[in-house]
Amino acid sequence: MGRAVVGVAVTVAVATCAVAAVVVGRRVRSRRKWNKVASVVRELEEGCDTSVGRLRQVVDAMAVEMHAGLASEGGSKLKMLLTFVDNLPNGTERGTYYALHLGGTNFRVLRLQLSGQPSPNLEHDVEVERQPIPEDVMTSTTEDLFNFIASSLKDFIAKEPDGSNISQDRRELGFTFSFPVKQMSVSSGILIKWTKGFSIRDSVGRDVAACLQEALTRKGLDVRVAALVNDTVGTLAVGHYHDPDTVAAIIIGTGTNACYLERIDAIIKCQGLLMTSGRMVVNMEWGNFWSSHLPRTVYDIDLDAESPNPNDQGFEKMISGMYLGDIVRRVILKMSLESDVFGPISPKLSMPFILRTPLMAAMHEDDSPDLREVARILNDIFEIPDVPLKARKIVVKVCDVVTRRAARLAAAGIVGILKKIGRDGSGGITGGRSRNDMKMRRTVVAIEGGLYSKYSLFREYLREAVKEILGQDIAKHVILKILSLTTAALMTLPLSIFVRNIGR
Ligand code: BGC
């Protein structure tokens, strides 16, 4: 009897130990796999460091590179392109204006009636038609691209109501072209390179205004391409139309870039240029900015190497909407390879650009207690079902790290421009005056682009970083003005106005 009891007790003890060993083993394995994921996130966070000290180094590098790019052609990775635009609209313009806008994702045709009085609601005076750019057009031939654009304009004009007061004279057109162009005048310019996934080899080195003009003629349209400007320049002009203290414009959308008003005598590489106002808008093409101070991770290096334009647009690849989703995808893939917290490795995780930035933003901004949106997107896009809550939280953290870095770097870029033009409270890059002697003027920076206007956490991070870098006392004079999506469609407005002001 006693033996039997002891026997049972021993068996129970052994079984308990075995169960305990299994439980402990599972726990250890589980802890190990979460630790692996945690260390991927930790490394990402360290790699994406944007402490204020580092941001200030980026600010200085930006200002120095701006100087170098203005001093000589090829003096910096910042091209600092001349735009030949020196007059910005002020609201007294009148007439009917046409414009085309070729951006990164969308194409727009616009017509606008201006009365000669500043209009607080420009959106109401404009007719816009917007369509996504077909993917095959982005990689086809110059002729296909410009035929697509010309056909859209033809359809737009064909829909104009008979008997409207739209002038039937030869129409003049402004063309907002969101790629780097070396301008020869306000109405002509040679494409330097494509960005944002466009890749049409036979256009590089050609005058894009002339290409458009030929396509319009082929379609039998009596329309003259009278102005060619970068989208940043259009944005600056819209900003200026509403607020004359606007000194710079930034685009943070599919791509990113900045332009600003520069003194002619500071543009050393083009001495002798006569501009009536003594200033010129400079298109920085900041997407190509580079500095050793930029916090670069292995994910950025891989993304760059696998992109159609390696070693190019390094700043853009850390900031803009074309790329952020793909950085996050790469981190999730890495976590999935290191541990099975996301279940078996989904082949979808290896597909470049499958996670678009708007969906990444939706995961980041998911405020449901069980992160339902995150689970849905992981399931729909990557076909990873039933991701545990803890793993969903990690995905949100990854989105946060990637977005915060992007927004803070863009903020450093903006302060770099302010520093270059002496609006950062320090008296400019060469100025020796202390902050206290300076009287800070009201300084407006216009910002446009879906990433900024539709992603509130991005905006918050950017604004917070500007404050951190400049300090509250200076930052209160700097107004970051968001151009709403509807207003953004108007970015082509001013270039049509240039047609009247400068083009003739
Ligand atoms: C282009 C710029 C453009 C920016 C925003 C960049 O990829 O190089 O010219 O202004 O995107 O659209």
Side-chain angles (χ1 to χ4, degrees):
M1 179 70 184
R3 257 199 213 160
V5 171
V6 171
V8 169
V10 168
T11 314
V12 169
V14 169
T16 312
C17 283
V19 169
V22 169
V23 171
V24 169
R26 259 198 218 138
R27 278 211 194 122
V28 168
R29 271 197 303 281
S30 163
R31 195 172 315 129
R32 225 179 266 148
K33 76 183 184 189
W34 286 105
N35 282 347
K36 280 197 177 147
V37 171
S39 82
V40 172
V41 178
R42 204 174 327 108
E43 270 170 33
L44 176 74
E45 274 188 284
E46 284 162 14
C48 289
D49 164 48
T50 50
S51 57
V52 70
R54 188 187 276 257
L55 290 183
R56 291 213 173 100
Q57 289 172 318
V58 175
V59 167
D60 291 346
M62 181 65 82
V64 166
E65 291 298 318
M66 288 172 76
H67 268 272
L70 290 172
S72 64
E73 213 60 76
S76 161
K77 288 201 96 172
L78 282 184
K79 285 237 167 321
M80 306 301 283
L81 299 169
L82 309 183
T83 63
F84 297 93
V85 170
D86 70 339
N87 265 325
L88 292 170
N90 57 18
T92 57
E93 298 74 15
R94 62 187 306 143
T96 305
Y97 301 94
Y98 286 87
L100 296 177
H101 171 67
L102 184 69
T105 318
N106 288 304
F107 171 69
R108 298 186 190 96
V109 188
L110 303 100
R111 185 182 57 243
L112 175 78
Q113 311 267 13
L114 288 176
S115 65
Q117 299 289 324
S119 165
N121 273 319
L122 272 179
E123 301 92 274
H124 296 159
D125 310 325
V126 78
E127 280 294 314
V128 190
E129 236 175 59
R130 187 173 117 145
Q131 50 181 305
I133 303 163
E135 267 187 35
D136 56 329
V137 167
M138 292 165 61
T139 50
S140 60
T141 61
T142 308
E143 202 172 308
D144 284 351
L145 172 69
F146 286 98
N147 280 347
F148 161 78
I149 297 176
S151 302
S152 309
L153 178 65
K154 191 171 182 176
D155 295 347
F156 185 77
I157 291 179
K159 282 190 224 145
E160 274 170 4
D162 284 341
S164 66
N165 59 356
I166 299 166
S167 153
Q168 296 303 311
D169 297 346
R170 185 174 201 212
R171 294 172 168 93
E172 302 223 319
L173 178 83
F175 185 26
T176 311
F177 186 72
S178 317
F179 301 92
V181 162
K182 182 172 170 51
Q183 307 249 175
M184 282 88 74
S185 69
V186 77
S187 59
S188 61
I190 284 173
L191 176 64
I192 298 175
K193 64 181 183 188
W194 288 109
T195 57
K196 299 177 281 202
F198 275 69
S199 167
I200 306 175
R201 285 246 188 86
D202 66 333
S203 326
V204 173
R206 289 175 68 180
D207 178 353
V208 284
C211 292
L212 175 60
Q213 187 66 70
E214 283 160 24
L216 296 174
T217 312
R218 276 200 296 275
K219 296 275 167 208
L221 287 171
D222 190 15
V223 178
R224 187 177 82 99
V225 183
L228 171 71
V229 294
N230 187 261
D231 52 352
T232 49
V233 181
T235 304
L236 180 58
V238 175
H240 207 265
Y241 181 95
H242 289 299
D243 190 332
D245 287 337
T246 310
V247 295
I250 320 293
I251 306 267
I252 312 176
T254 310
T256 185
N257 190 11
C259 77
Y260 72 107
L261 268 168
E262 182 57 280
R263 292 186 338 266
I264 280 288
D265 60 352
I267 311 178
I268 298 166
K269 66 182 174 186
C270 70
Q271 286 304 315
L273 255 187
L274 279 181
M275 299 303 276
T276 44
S277 68
R279 300 184 305 176
M280 195 198 285
V281 178
V282 173
N283 166 16
M284 294 173 59
E285 285 297 330
W286 88 358
N288 202 37
F289 168 68
W290 192 251
S291 151
S292 58
H293 299 299
L294 291 175
R296 200 180 198 209
T297 66
V298 62
Y299 308 104
D300 302 301
I301 294 170
D302 291 349
L303 181 146
D304 179 55
E306 290 162 30
S307 70
N309 53 346
N311 289 320
D312 207 26
Q313 300 291 102
F315 199 48
E316 177 162 272
K317 285 173 181 160
M318 289 177 153
I319 293 178
S320 81
M322 168 118 194
Y323 303 102
L324 296 191
D326 205 52
I327 302 177
V328 169
R329 172 192 69 82
R330 285 166 189 276
V331 183
I332 301 177
L333 172 62
K334 167 88 172 165
M335 294 192 297
S336 192
L337 290 170
E338 297 265 308
S339 130
D340 62 0
V341 300
F342 293 98
I345 302 165
S346 161
K348 297 270 173 179
L349 278 172
S350 303
M351 292 177 68
F353 297 107
I354 193 173
L355 179 65
R356 302 259 164 209
T357 301
L359 287 180
M360 184 275 256
M363 294 201 287
H364 190 194
E365 299 193 319
D366 183 359
D367 55 7
S368 63
D370 54 349
L371 299 175
R372 228 168 303 143
E373 192 60 5
V374 177
R376 186 188 65 76
I377 292 170
L378 291 175
N379 188 32
D380 290 359
I381 303 296
F382 295 126
E383 295 173 0
I384 310 179
D386 309 321
V387 175
L389 184 58
K390 197 166 163 188
R392 295 180 209 173
K393 286 188 182 157
I394 290 173
V395 169
V396 175
K397 176 72 188 168
V398 171
C399 299
D400 186 66
V401 173
V402 171
T403 295
R404 184 167 181 270
R405 177 185 68 163
R408 289 172 71 82
L409 290 179
I414 294 172
V415 179
I417 300 175
L418 299 183
K419 177 163 192 148
K420 167 69 185 70
I421 59 176
R423 298 283 188 112
D424 69 331
S426 71
I429 188 170
T430 48
R433 284 194 282 176
S434 77
R435 285 181 168 228
N436 299 338
D437 317 329
M438 290 290 304
K439 182 160 177 353
M440 239 330 254
R441 283 157 62 188
R442 182 173 178 274
T443 297
V444 180
V445 177
I447 312 187
E448 194 277 333
L451 189 63
Y452 188 77
S453 60
K454 292 195 219 156
Y455 195 172
S456 57
L457 285 175
F458 189 103
R459 274 201 306 279
E460 275 168 35
Y461 280 141
L462 188 148
R463 285 166 191 269
E464 181 183 83
V466 167
K467 256 189 229 149
E468 256 178 61
I469 305 170
L470 286 175
Q472 181 59 36
D473 281 354
I474 303 291
K476 68 177 184 236
H477 300 281
V478 176
I479 293 127
L480 303 178
K481 235 189 206 174
I482 179 170
L483 293 184
S484 78
L485 273 185
T486 349
T487 317
L490 294 169
M491 63 174 75
T492 32
L493 139 76
L495 84 104
S496 310
I497 293 169
F498 301 148
V499 172
R500 301 288 159 107
N501 285 351
I502 304 169
R504 282 201 177 146

